[in-house]
Amino acid sequence: MKGFAMKKIGEVGWVEKDKPDIGAYDALVRPIALAPCTSDIHTVWEGAVGERTDMILGHEALGVVDEVGSEVKDFKPGDKVIVPAITPDWYSDAALRGFSSQTGGALGGWKFSNFKDGVFGEYFHVNVADWNLAHLPEGMPLEAAVMIPDMLTTGFMGAENSNIPLGGSVAVLGIGPVGLSAIAGAELQGAGRIFAVGTRPKCVEVAKAYGATDIVSYKDGNTADQIVEATGGEGVDSVVVAGGGPDILIDAINAARAGSVVSNINYFGTGDTLPIPREGWGVGMADINIATGLCPGGRVRMERLADIVKYGRMDPALMATHVFHGFDKVEEALMLMKDKPRDLIKPVVIVDENL
Ligand code: NDP
Ligand code: ZN
């Protein structure tokens, strides 16, 4: 089979590999729809998780089950599935403690395109299929459903972790597909006022559609100052960090008021340390907490997110600005994600709508 891979740090290309073997609880899946992620860009071009050789990229997929292990009960060949980006080892200490994304060590639930070949292959392996796959609801548009495995689960987690009070104010720093999903999550959680920070016009348009009440450009002056001023000198109840470089926590904390949670979902690809503003953080005593998380995976999470889409609570297809057809287009889609043209939110590849 062929796959599109990270050949080494800074280099991508097509590779030929054997189809993966599966164990008794696993599944072999073929992709129906795929999407590249900004995390793939950090992984390849920043070498953010270290060297990887000929590792097939990608962790956002819908698929069709090709083969299942002898102990798999709820899935059979031909079933269409949502494949979460994060596929934890559910029978582990970390999962039992409630942190399934961190099973087997920090970020250990993130297996595709990190510890094993990802989903940009003609076939890919899914561990513990009954717990990690979800059935794709019939008739759900693929451009919408393919946002569930990573964009929705990550953005919604950002909003959930930021503890937004009903009617409270929230600032979402970064409105790429992850931040936009956080805005939709904040809206679903009952935020009163939602600040969206970013500049790409298409992202701004969708931010408004998802519930943003105020648009802030980080290019028009200090982000925190703009938010503090707009809130009468107070700052916001919650902050979600979904973009920006290593200094972004300075803006996030300076925009937060006492009691706020700064919920980071950004992947910091470079640098050894991240600065926190001493004064803005009340010289360490501001009652401003910082939350972090790798997006939740697993079956139940995917089923709940699918219900949000199925019952029309939000439409993730608004983020699919560039839709390609055919497996080979994965390369073009990934390069688009790297280059981030101004009209891009998220590229999607429909591999085969007839599968
Ligand atoms: P994008 O690159 O599409 O979006 C980044 C956003 O940040 C843009 O809106 C950009 O603005 C904005 N931005 C850039 N600089 C600043 C700044 N100084 N202040 C405020 N905003 C700024 O990224 P994605 O949405 O695809 O991904 C966001 C992050 O989430 C990535 O780091 C990704 O790796 C990570 N991620 C984390 C996951 C997790 O589990 N925690 C899972 C998936 C992704 P502009 O409009 O000007 O471009
Ligand atoms: Zn991702």
Side-chain angles (χ1 to χ4, degrees), residues 10-282:
E11 191 182 322
V12 291
W14 291 95
V15 292
E16 279 290 335
K17 291 202 174 188
D18 293 338
K19 273 203 263 179
D21 292 328
I22 57 164
Y25 295 92
D26 307 336
L28 188 67
V29 176
R30 296 157 68 197
I32 300 175
L34 296 167
C37 179
T38 302
S39 301
D40 292 312
I41 310 305
H42 293 302
T43 301
V44 177
W45 283 280
E46 291 172 349
V49 292
E51 189 57 280
R52 300 285 190 276
T53 309
D54 290 344
M55 177 189 69
I56 295 178
L57 288 164
H59 50 259
E60 301 182 16
L62 307 172
V64 59
V65 175
D66 190 69
E67 190 187 327
V68 292
S70 57
E71 300 301 319
V72 174
K73 301 197 166 29
D74 296 336
F75 297 91
K76 57 182 189 319
D79 285 354
K80 291 183 183 178
V81 288
I82 301 171
V83 185
I86 305 303
T87 52
D89 302 311
W90 289 100
Y91 42 83
S92 65
D93 272 15
L96 291 171
R97 284 188 277 108
F99 298 97
S100 57
S101 294
Q102 316 291 349
T103 52
L107 311 186
W110 174 25
K111 299 180 189 305
F112 292 125
S113 70
N114 185 11
F115 298 127
K116 71 173 186 185
D117 281 329
V119 299
F120 293 173
E122 288 176 299
Y123 296 84
F124 55 86
H125 166 275
V126 178
N127 58 303
V128 207
D130 282 334
W131 291 25
N132 278 324
L133 290 175
H135 289 284
L136 176 66
E138 196 144 336
M140 186 174 289
L142 299 180
E143 293 87 340
V146 77
M147 301 294 175
I148 293 173
D150 193 358
M151 297 301 94
L152 293 198
T153 186
T154 302
F156 287 6
M157 174 193 70
E160 288 167 300
N161 285 354
S162 78
N163 236 354
I164 301 165
L166 192 64
S169 53
V170 54
V172 178
L173 275 46
I175 49 170
V178 171
L180 288 171
S181 301
I183 288 175
E187 161 89 357
L188 286 166
Q189 289 201 305
R193 191 173 183 187
I194 304 176
F195 290 85
V197 183
T199 69
R200 277 181 273 160
K202 188 70 193 165
C203 296
V204 167
E205 183 190 316
V206 175
K208 288 178 183 163
Y210 285 169
T213 55
D214 297 69
I215 306 296
V216 172
S217 165
Y218 61 91
K219 294 179 180 169
D220 285 352
N222 181 281
T223 299
D225 288 350
Q226 294 184 65
I227 293 170
V228 169
E229 194 187 330
T231 51
E234 283 285 323
V236 282
D237 292 310
S238 303
V239 181
V240 179
V241 179
D247 287 345
I248 195 70
L249 293 178
I250 298 176
D251 286 336
I253 289 169
N254 284 337
R257 73 202 298 185
S260 177
V261 178
V262 170
S263 164
N264 181 74
I265 46 179
N266 212 14
Y267 174 162
F268 293 103
T270 55
D272 291 330
T273 54
L274 301 169
I276 286 174
R278 188 180 64 88
E279 279 187 36
W281 210 31

